[in-house]
């Protein structure tokens, strides 16, 4: 089911939770009816087989239609009914226990006090242990033990409670394997969008009675400062898993020091926030009232319990689970979080880039520099610790070294030389199927499934990182940013304030920059991708002059493979978005390829809340000097095209009050046009009426630019004068084309310069087009699916950009599309319905300008 509407969050909340409330009520009524029927005195002889009826006694072998005697069928039916009643009774007992537990925590202050006292005792114990370790480290403790004295030393004390929690013995089974109630999984793209949704739930009529859980990554929710300071998502994840493993194993490491002597080392470190009792209390606190990620993290700090694991313990009993949809769409992340989709409802908000997201999180790229670094680090690690490693460890490490060497060789490099100084004789891009790539790399005889499993279980990349941390980098990395997989990049982007901006200068941001993860961590993701189905992916060999700049990339071609399991298990899936047009991609590439029958797909679209006369969409085919507007790659850089665009903007700025937002297809083209206008004097003419701002390429500068833009418009509206507002130069797909609201005077006119088609020369796009042409059905005379893909990518970007204006019922704005290709019916059909139904195509500039002037005079006068 698809919902296309604006201001949709409240509608989704109320509609979904109303359904859930009604569903739970009907389910309880049905359970009550079945329990009453099961308690009927006539059915009390449940441990005795029913006597066969007289007819069966006379002819015991007489079969019914199923081939079984009638009395056997009745017995089986009765047994199934009794089993159902027993399960319902068990579920009812569990539900009452949970409700009673939450009620006590909500109303019984003594329980909260007891939990707080337990936390204080744990903190005091941890403090004393830390002081003891510091004394030993400082040499204030006893001298090194003589031979044989070590058996006189007390082993580390472990309380009975810790033994119970670590081993799992005597832990209530309900806590370990609680039944998952019917729930709604609400997913969105970013941390801020999820927080906004949670706040909407808090304000809604369901805010008091809904058991809501917010999920996030370890980077968002970890409260252990020693782990958080690692910075890298992968390092935080690995360190957390290592601490949990240590918690359960509780082994003392014994190291051979000299022949005949052994030294007992300190037991492995464990996480002080991973306590079974505290996690159970945190779980119940999470379910008491609606909390967003920040509130959950703050609660975890106060409770001295890990909110990452505490929130996951709360999933079974939760009615509404809020999470980034990348976690839900990645099978490994879904499993790690304890998410079960069977019979549940999934709502995916902001789903316009769902296909791109699935493709991104399952596509991985590694650079030649990373391959060489990993090989060099692993080789030196083996040289240092080789004699201490078991034969199987050595075997797998040699296989990994062999694979890394072959990956570098297939790019045209040599692992024995620095990647920064190696120039490749052959440049260009090459695409291979997975099997062809493995064969060309000469690793088709290596079992990558076993290598992948070894990397996961042995945590070799974590050990390698610790080795390089201790002994320093063995190969100086290049200045390029490490290339993360899509999933890792997503997890990193979830943390508030962490963005994909270029690195700060060393003197400003060197100390604050997170430590890069081991390059082998990224390569493990690439190895995992190579084990997927051969037909659904390609390997791109990109050779770019030097080895350090070259890369290997796994590209997923069929995102439906990973979406199929979600659709198969769920009761219903809702894809929602404010600008979902065009929707053919979802139907053909995602749903149909995932095996969803056409009749199961319901499409629902809402119109905009604004009156019809509050928007003026215009397609302008030519400029003031009758220059035809067609911004193709061949024509858009012509001086006359850039001059005509500048004249159009000058005219618009004369009649449009407040803010004008102008979108260009790319940063490079925006800079080229800006430079040309600066030389020709058009920029100075524009500045007479509007103060000019440019979208920054650094993410951390966006907020400041927007603030200055807003202040300028506000000041001009109050002061009057020649300057009537501001003009913002933005880029399609940039920082301001999505998630930024240019409401009211901030965006009285949105201008789209040309059509932002993706580069047809991209090897990835060409392969995707060829794949769709081969796999999707096409009727005679129909446009090839590959060409449709290119048009849809363009129009989705356009729709996202022009949707930045008109954000509420009383808002108004004009939308100007500068390119005669927008007038083509197939292109017009891909605009949102609320724009398409009101669009006016103007062949010449004069009538278009007259319509704009009239519209803004009327609206400015009425407002």
């Amino acid at each position: 089911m698809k919902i296309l509407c604006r201001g949709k969050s409240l509608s989704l909340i109320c509609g979904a939770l109303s359904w859930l409330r009604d569903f739970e009520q009907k389910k309880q009524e049905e359970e009550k009816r079945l329990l009453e029927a099961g308690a009927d005195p006539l059915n009390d002889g449940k441990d005795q087989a029913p006597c066969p009826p007289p007819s069966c006694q006379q002819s015991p072998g007489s079969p019914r239609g199923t081939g079984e005697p009638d009395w056997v069928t009745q017995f089986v039916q009765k047994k199934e009914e009794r089993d159902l009643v027993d399960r319902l009774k068990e579920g009812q007992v569990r539900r009452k226990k949970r409700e009673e537990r939450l009620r006590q925590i909500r109303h019984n202050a003594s329980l909260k006090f007891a939990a707080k006292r337990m936390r204080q005792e744990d903190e005091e114990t941890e403090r004393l242990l830390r002081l003891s370790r510091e004394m030993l480290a400082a040499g204030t403790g006893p001298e090194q033990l003589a031979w044989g004295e070590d058996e006189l030393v007390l082993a580390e004390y472990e309380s009975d409670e810790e033994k119970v929690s670590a081993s799992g013995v005597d832990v209530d089974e309900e806590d370990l394997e609680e039944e998952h109630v019917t729930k709604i999984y609400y997913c969105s793209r970013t941390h801020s969008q999820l927080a906004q949704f949670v706040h909407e739930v808090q304000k809604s009529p369901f805010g008091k009675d809904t058991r809501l859980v917010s999920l996030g990554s370890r980077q968002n929710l970890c409260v252990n400062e020693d782990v958080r300071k690692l910075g890298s998502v992968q390092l935080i994840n690995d360190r957390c898993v290592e601490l949990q493993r240590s918690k359960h194993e509780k082994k003392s490491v014994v190291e051979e020091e000299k022949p005949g002597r052994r030294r007992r080392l300190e037991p492995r470190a464990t996480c002080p926030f991973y306590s079974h009792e505290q996690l159970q209390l945190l779980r119940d606190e999470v379910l008491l009232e609606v909390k967003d990620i920040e509130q959950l993290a703050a609660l975890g700090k106060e409770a001295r319990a890990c909110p990452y694991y505490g929130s996951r313990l709360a999933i079974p009993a939760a009615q509404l689970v809020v999470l980034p949809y990348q976690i839900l769409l990645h099978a490994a992340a879904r499993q790690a979080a304890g998410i079960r989709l069977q019979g549940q409802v999934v709502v995916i908000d902001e789903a316009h880039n769902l296909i791109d997201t699935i493709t991104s999180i399952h596509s991985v790229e590694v650079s030649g520099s990373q391959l060489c670094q990993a090989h060099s680090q692993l080789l030196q690690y083996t040289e240092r610790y080789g004699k201490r490693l078991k034969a199987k460890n050595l075997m797998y490490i040699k296989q990994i070294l062999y694979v890394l060497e072959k990956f570098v060789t297939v790019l045209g490099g040599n692992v024995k030389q620095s990647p920064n100084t190696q120039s490749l004789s052959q440049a260009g891009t090459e695409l291979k199927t997975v099997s062809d790539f493995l064969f060309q790399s000469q690793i088709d005889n290596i079992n990558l499934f076993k290598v992948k499993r070894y990397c996961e279980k042995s945590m070799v990349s974590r050990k390698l990182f610790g080795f390089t941390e201790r002994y320093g980098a063995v190969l100086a990395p290049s200045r390029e940013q490490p290339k993360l997989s899509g999933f890792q990049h997503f997890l990193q982007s979830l943390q508030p304030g962490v963005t994909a901006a270029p690195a700060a200068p060393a003197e400003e941001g060197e100390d604050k920059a997170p430590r890069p993860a081991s390059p082998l961590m990224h390569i493990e993701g690439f190895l995992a991708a190579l084990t997927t189905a051969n037909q659904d992916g390609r390997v791109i060999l990109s050779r770019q002059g030097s080895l350090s700049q070259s890369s290997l990339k796994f590209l997923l071609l069929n995102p439906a493979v990973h979406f199929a399991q979600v659709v198969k298990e769920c009761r219903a899936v809702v894809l929602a978005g404010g600008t979902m047009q065009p929707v053919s991609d979802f139907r053909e590439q995602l749903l149909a390829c995932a095996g969803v029958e056409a009749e199961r797909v319901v499409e629902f679209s809402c119109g905009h809340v604004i009156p019809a006369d509050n928007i003026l969409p215009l397609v302008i085919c030519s400029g003031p000097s009758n220059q035809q507007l067609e911004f193709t790659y061949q024509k858009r850089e012509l001086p006359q095209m850039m001059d005509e665009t500048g004249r159009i903007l000058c005219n618009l700025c004369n009649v449009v009050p407040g803010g004008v937002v102008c979108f260009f297809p790319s940063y490079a083209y925006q800079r080229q046009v800006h430079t040309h206008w600066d030389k020709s004097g058009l920029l100075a003419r524009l500045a007479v009426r509007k103060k000019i701002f440019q979208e920054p390429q650094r993410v951390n500068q966006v907020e400041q630019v927007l603030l200055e833009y807003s202040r300028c418009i506000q000041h001009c509206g109050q002061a009057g004068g020649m300057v009537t507002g501001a003009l913002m130069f933005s880029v399609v797909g940039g920082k301001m084309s999505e998630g930024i609201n240019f409401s009211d005077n901030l965006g009285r006119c949105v201008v789209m310069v040309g059509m932002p088609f993706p580069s047809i020369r991209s090897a990835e796009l060409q392969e995707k087009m060829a794949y769709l042409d081969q796999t999707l059905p096409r009727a005679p005379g129909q446009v090839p699916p590959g060409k449709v893909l290119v048009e849809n990518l363009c129009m989705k970007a356009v729709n996202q950009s022009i949707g930045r204006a008109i954000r509420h019922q009383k808002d108004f704005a004009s939308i100007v599309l500068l390119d005669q290709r927008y007038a083509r019916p197939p292109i017009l059909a891909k605009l949102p319905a609320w724009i398409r139904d009101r669009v006016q195509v103007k062949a010449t500039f004069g009538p278009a300008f007259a319509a704009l002037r009239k519209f803004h005079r009327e609206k400015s006068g009425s407002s």
Side-chain angles (χ1 to χ4, degrees):
M1 176 180 182
K2 297 186 179 68
I3 298 181
L4 290 82
C5 61
R6 306 181 71 81
K8 62 200 172 299
S9 296
L10 199 58
S11 302
L12 287 171
I13 295 166
C14 295
L17 291 178
S18 294
W19 172 87
L20 184 62
R21 181 185 59 189
D22 296 343
F23 174 83
E24 289 178 342
Q25 185 176 349
K26 290 178 182 178
K27 184 179 179 182
Q28 289 178 10
E29 290 173 356
E30 181 67 14
E31 288 179 359
K32 183 179 179 182
R33 185 187 65 79
L34 290 171
L35 288 171
E36 289 175 351
D40 192 333
L42 296 175
N43 296 330
D44 280 349
K46 60 182 180 180
D47 293 329
Q48 301 175 2
C51 295
S55 60
C56 290
Q57 290 177 352
Q58 294 170 4
S59 54
S62 60
R64 294 185 58 82
T66 60
E68 295 286 350
D70 188 40
W71 68 273
V72 173
T73 304
Q74 291 179 8
F75 174 73
V76 172
Q77 183 179 353
K78 290 288 185 183
K79 185 176 185 306
E80 290 175 351
E81 291 176 358
R82 289 196 298 271
D83 291 344
L84 175 61
V85 169
D86 289 342
R87 287 197 301 271
L88 292 175
K89 286 180 178 178
E90 291 173 4
Q92 198 174 55
V93 169
R94 281 196 297 266
R95 186 169 62 247
K96 287 182 178 178
K97 276 187 178 181
R98 181 179 65 240
E99 291 172 354
E100 178 63 20
R101 188 173 69 238
L102 295 178
R103 187 190 65 79
Q104 287 182 353
I105 293 176
R106 184 179 288 112
H107 299 294
N108 195 339
S110 63
L111 284 177
K112 291 186 178 181
F113 176 77
K116 186 174 182 180
R117 185 179 61 191
M118 188 186 304
R119 290 196 295 270
Q120 292 172 341
E121 290 174 355
D122 289 344
E123 289 173 4
E124 180 64 16
T125 303
E126 180 65 25
R127 188 181 69 83
L128 292 173
L129 284 172
R130 188 172 63 251
L131 287 174
S132 300
R133 294 191 188 105
E134 290 172 356
M135 287 174 61
L136 290 172
T140 55
E143 297 293 326
Q144 186 173 343
L145 297 177
W147 170 250
E149 278 190 296
D150 56 345
E151 61 187 42
L152 301 176
V153 179
L154 287 170
E156 184 184 24
Y157 176 73
E158 187 176 38
S159 67
D160 293 335
E161 289 81 3
E162 287 177 326
K163 289 180 180 177
V164 168
S165 300
S167 64
V169 179
D170 296 333
V171 176
D172 193 345
E173 289 184 3
E174 296 168 20
D175 294 332
L176 295 177
E177 195 63 35
E178 190 171 357
E179 180 188 7
H180 284 241
V181 303
T182 302
K183 58 175 58 63
I184 297 164
Y185 288 99
Y186 176 87
C187 321
S188 193
R189 189 176 62 88
T190 65
H191 173 86
S192 59
Q193 288 167 344
L194 292 172
Q196 183 180 353
F197 176 82
V198 172
H199 297 155
E200 292 285 350
V201 174
Q202 290 171 333
K203 293 185 291 184
S204 75
F206 302 92
K208 298 286 185 184
D209 304 321
T210 301
R211 299 190 301 274
L212 182 147
V213 175
S214 295
L215 299 185
S217 66
R218 286 182 174 91
Q219 195 175 32
N220 287 128
L221 292 174
C222 179
V223 291
N224 187 332
E225 291 301 326
D226 292 336
V227 177
R228 283 182 62 86
K229 69 183 181 184
L230 292 173
S232 163
V233 176
Q234 190 67 53
L235 292 178
I236 291 174
N237 289 343
D238 285 350
R239 181 59 177 158
C240 177
V241 172
E242 187 177 296
L243 290 175
Q244 306 328 310
R245 184 180 294 178
S246 300
K247 180 81 174 179
H248 293 296
E249 290 177 357
K250 284 285 185 178
K251 291 182 180 178
S252 294
V253 182
V254 178
E255 184 179 280
E256 188 84 24
E257 197 173 41
K258 290 182 181 178
R261 290 178 64 98
R262 289 176 179 265
R263 178 169 60 90
R264 185 179 298 275
L265 300 180
E266 186 179 343
R268 295 180 182 179
T270 59
C271 182
F273 297 92
Y274 191 82
S275 161
H276 178 75
E277 293 82 3
Q278 296 303 121
L279 287 176
Q280 298 297 318
L281 290 170
L282 180 63
R283 173 200 64 183
D284 296 337
E285 289 278 358
V286 168
L287 294 171
L288 278 180
E289 59 184 17
V290 175
K291 299 176 183 68
D292 62 18
I293 287 288
E294 284 82 6
Q295 293 167 330
L296 181 59
L299 180 64
K301 283 184 180 179
E302 180 187 351
R304 296 282 299 172
C306 177
Y308 176 81
Y309 285 104
S311 60
R312 277 149 177 74
L313 285 177
I315 290 175
Q319 297 168 304
L320 179 59
V321 179
V322 178
L323 71 163
Y325 62 51
Q326 289 90 335
I327 291 181
L328 181 115
L329 296 171
H330 197 281
R334 196 162 64 234
Q335 184 179 2
I339 293 171
R340 298 181 185 176
L341 297 180
Q342 193 68 43
Q344 310 293 15
V345 176
V346 169
V347 178
I348 301 178
D349 201 358
E350 301 296 337
H352 56 272
N353 54 6
L354 179 61
I355 295 175
D356 294 338
T357 299
I358 298 175
T359 301
S360 174
I361 64 178
H362 294 94
S363 298
V364 191
E365 184 173 12
V366 293
S367 67
S369 178
Q370 289 173 328
L371 292 169
C372 287
Q373 278 184 270
H375 185 276
S376 181
Q377 291 173 3
L378 192 57
L379 189 63
Q380 294 196 25
Y381 176 87
T382 309
E383 289 173 355
R384 182 168 183 85
Y385 300 116
K387 293 182 180 179
R388 298 175 182 269
L389 298 176
K390 300 293 185 183
K392 226 167 205 182
N393 279 321
L394 282 173
M395 179 192 74
Y396 278 112
I397 287 176
K398 286 180 178 179
Q399 286 188 349
I400 296 171
L401 286 169
Y402 177 79
V403 168
L404 294 173
E405 182 178 355
K406 291 302 180 181
F407 283 168
V408 172
T409 303
V410 82
L411 283 174
N414 189 330
V415 291
K416 297 179 181 179
Q417 301 175 18
S418 171
N420 300 323
T421 59
Q422 289 190 63
S423 297
L424 304 184
S425 57
Q426 182 183 2
T429 302
E430 189 179 359
L431 280 98
K432 298 282 184 181
T433 63
V434 174
S435 58
D436 288 345
F437 169 74
L438 296 178
F439 183 78
Q440 182 179 344
S441 303
Q442 299 178 4
I443 61 170
D444 50 313
N445 59 330
I446 300 290
N447 189 329
L448 291 181
F449 290 92
K450 287 187 176 181
V451 173
K452 167 179 168 283
R453 182 171 176 81
Y454 170 78
C455 290
E456 292 172 351
K457 296 297 181 182
S458 68
M459 299 183 72
V460 61
S461 58
R462 172 69 197 175
K463 306 293 184 186
L464 194 60
F465 175 77
F467 171 71
T468 54
E469 282 283 282
R470 178 183 291 267
Y471 295 105
V474 292
L475 183 65
S478 64
R479 298 297 298 172
E480 64 175 329
Q481 290 283 78
K483 297 177 181 178
L484 305 180
S485 70
F487 185 54
Q488 292 165 338
H489 190 276
F490 146 69
L491 290 174
Q492 196 168 30
S493 68
L494 282 181
Q495 186 178 13
V498 174
T499 63
E507 62 272 10
E508 294 176 7
E510 190 170 345
D511 294 335
K512 298 180 180 179
R515 287 180 286 173
S518 164
L520 188 59
M521 293 179 181
H522 303 303
I523 295 164
E524 285 178 9
F526 182 70
L527 292 175
L530 292 179
T531 60
T532 59
N534 179 43
Q535 288 78 15
D536 298 319
R538 298 289 185 272
V539 178
I540 302 174
L541 292 79
S542 177
R543 302 179 179 95
Q544 304 294 332
S546 71
L547 180 59
S548 62
Q549 295 172 334
S550 303
S551 65
L552 298 174
K553 180 176 182 178
F554 174 83
L555 173 66
L556 179 70
L557 295 176
N558 183 14
V561 171
H562 298 281
F563 194 63
Q565 194 66 28
V566 175
V567 175
K568 180 181 178 182
E569 294 183 2
C570 291
R571 177 191 302 270
V573 177
V574 180
L575 308 182
T579 46
M580 293 279 284
Q581 289 286 353
V583 298
S584 58
D585 284 355
F586 296 98
R587 285 184 171 274
E588 296 169 7
Q589 291 185 43
L590 204 58
L591 300 177
C593 290
V596 180
E597 300 85 358
E599 56 270 17
R600 282 189 61 196
V601 181
V602 180
E603 188 176 326
F604 175 67
S605 178
C606 292
H608 208 293
V609 295
I610 62 168
D613 58 353
N614 274 25
I615 179 175
L616 178 63
L618 292 174
V619 174
I620 301 180
C621 301
S622 63
S625 63
N626 293 324
Q627 171 72 46
Q628 290 296 308
L629 301 178
E630 189 170 358
F631 293 86
T632 61
Y633 286 111
Q634 295 79 18
K635 297 179 181 179
R636 70 184 189 183
E637 296 181 2
L638 296 174
Q640 57 265 37
M641 288 293 291
M642 293 188 279
D643 289 338
E644 194 77 335
T645 307
R647 285 190 285 267
I648 292 172
L649 277 180
C650 284
N651 282 280
L652 295 182
C653 291
N654 286 332
V655 298
V656 176
V660 176
V661 184
C662 181
F663 285 99
F664 292 88
S666 67
Y667 284 106
Y669 187 59
Q670 180 206 357
R671 287 193 298 268
Q672 184 179 6
V673 171
H674 188 275
T675 303
H676 179 79
W677 287 350
D678 191 23
K679 292 178 180 177
S680 66
L682 273 167
L683 208 60
R685 286 176 56 190
L686 286 169
V688 172
R689 303 294 289 178
K690 304 286 183 184
K691 184 176 180 180
I692 297 172
F693 293 85
Q694 291 188 77
E695 176 182 318
Q697 286 192 263
R698 283 179 177 265
V699 180
N700 55 5
Q701 296 174 349
V702 170
E703 188 174 347
Q704 181 63 31
V705 172
L706 284 174
L707 185 61
E708 293 175 5
Y709 174 78
S710 175
R711 285 174 177 170
C712 174
I713 292 173
Q714 186 178 7
H715 173 74
C716 292
Q718 295 171 350
M722 287 291 290
V723 180
T724 60
L727 172 62
M728 175 71 76
F729 291 153
S730 301
V731 176
V732 177
K735 287 82 179 171
M736 297 184 181
S737 64
E738 187 174 343
I740 303 293
N741 294 340
F742 291 102
S743 58
D744 299 316
N745 278 336
L746 296 182
R748 288 305 183 199
C749 181
V750 177
V751 182
M752 179 65 61
V753 177
M755 299 187 69
F757 284 106
S759 175
I760 199 67
R761 291 171 288 187
S762 164
E764 296 182 23
L765 181 60
Q766 289 178 1
E767 189 67 19
K768 179 74 172 179
M769 293 170 65
Y771 178 81
L772 293 178
D773 289 341
Q774 293 171 6
T775 55
L776 293 185
R778 174 165 58 114
Q782 195 175 13
V783 179
K787 185 178 179 182
V788 173
L789 169 70
V790 174
E791 288 185 353
N792 287 351
L793 289 173
C794 169
M795 292 308 296
K796 280 183 180 178
V798 169
N799 293 338
Q800 277 298 310
S801 299
I802 63 179
R804 298 309 90 213
I806 310 185
R807 307 302 298 180
H808 58 85
Q809 188 174 11
K810 296 182 179 180
D811 206 353
F812 68 89
S814 55
I815 297 172
V816 179
L817 305 175
L818 299 180
D819 200 306
Q820 63 182 5
R821 291 174 292 176
Y822 283 112
R824 298 173 185 173
I827 299 297
L828 282 175
K830 298 179 190 295
L831 288 170
W834 63 278
I835 295 178
R836 182 178 65 243
D837 295 342
R838 304 165 191 178
V839 72
Q840 300 178 28
V841 178
K842 303 294 184 181
T844 57
F845 183 74
F849 180 72
L852 273 168
R853 182 169 52 189
K854 180 182 178 184
F855 173 80
H856 284 285
R857 277 182 178 175
E858 291 177 352
K859 290 301 169 185
S860 298
S862 61
S863 61

